[in-house]
């Protein structure tokens, strides 16, 4: 029963987010919304073959569950290929986590995670005989 409920919520998420204007953000009083985490500085590389790195997260509010998420890395005034999103994944049922690296020795970038959240409601489950 639980898998069916989450499956329906995930399908609703996919339907809501697809559109010509990109991501849609629902009012927090609605069933679904996108929560943007804090923008984190992705520091410049300290050199000697090491990259600057940072982690970011976004957490769903109380009463909502995580149905998806992602992250965005923005390059500083440099080559975009020096900034890499190394990981973007769920942690638990409420938080989306992301990790990025920066091999540019001169320019920092930014990292921001976002979580796609949905309110869990009572859904009728169809049982077959």
């Amino acid at each position: 029963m639980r898998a069916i409920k989450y499956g329906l919520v995930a399908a609703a998420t996919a339907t809501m987010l697809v559109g010509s204007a990109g991501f849609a953000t629902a009012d927090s009083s609605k069933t679904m919304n996108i929560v943007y985490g804090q923008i984190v500085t992705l520091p410049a590389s300290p050199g000697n073959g090491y990259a600057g790195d940072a982690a970011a997260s976004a957490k769903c509010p109380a009463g909502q569950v995580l149905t998806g998420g992602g992250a965005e890395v923005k390059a500083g005034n440099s080559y975009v290929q020096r900034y890499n999103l190394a990981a973007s994944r769920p942690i638990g049922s409420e938080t989306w986590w992301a990790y990025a690296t920066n091999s540019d020795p001169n320019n920092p970038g930014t990292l921001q995670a976002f979580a796609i959240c949905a309110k869990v409601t009572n859904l009728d489950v169809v049982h077959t005989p």
Side-chain angles (χ1 to χ4, degrees):
M1 225 167 52
R2 189 173 181 169
I4 291 173
K5 286 182 183 180
Y6 286 115
L8 292 174
V9 170
T13 301
T15 302
M16 178 185 161
L17 294 176
V18 174
S20 60
F23 285 112
T25 303
D27 183 321
S28 61
S29 65
K30 303 292 181 184
T31 304
M32 301 189 67
N33 64 312
I34 299 175
V35 176
Y36 291 91
Q38 182 178 16
I39 296 174
V40 176
T41 298
L42 182 54
S45 168
N48 299 326
Y50 294 100
D53 63 347
S57 64
K59 185 174 182 176
C60 293
Q64 295 189 15
V65 295
L66 182 71
T67 61
E72 179 180 39
V73 175
K74 289 187 180 176
N77 296 325
S78 180
Y79 298 101
V80 71
Q81 65 269 24
R82 293 182 176 177
Y83 303 81
N84 297 299
L85 180 61
S88 178
R89 65 185 218 65
I91 295 181
S93 63
E94 298 175 349
T95 305
W96 196 270
W97 178 84
Y99 174 78
T101 61
N102 176 8
S103 64
D104 184 334
N106 301 312
N107 298 292
T110 61
L111 171 64
Q112 184 178 30
F114 63 90
I116 302 169
C117 307
K119 290 182 182 178
V120 177
T121 60
N122 291 331
L123 298 174
D124 291 330
V125 177
V126 177
H127 297 279
T128 56

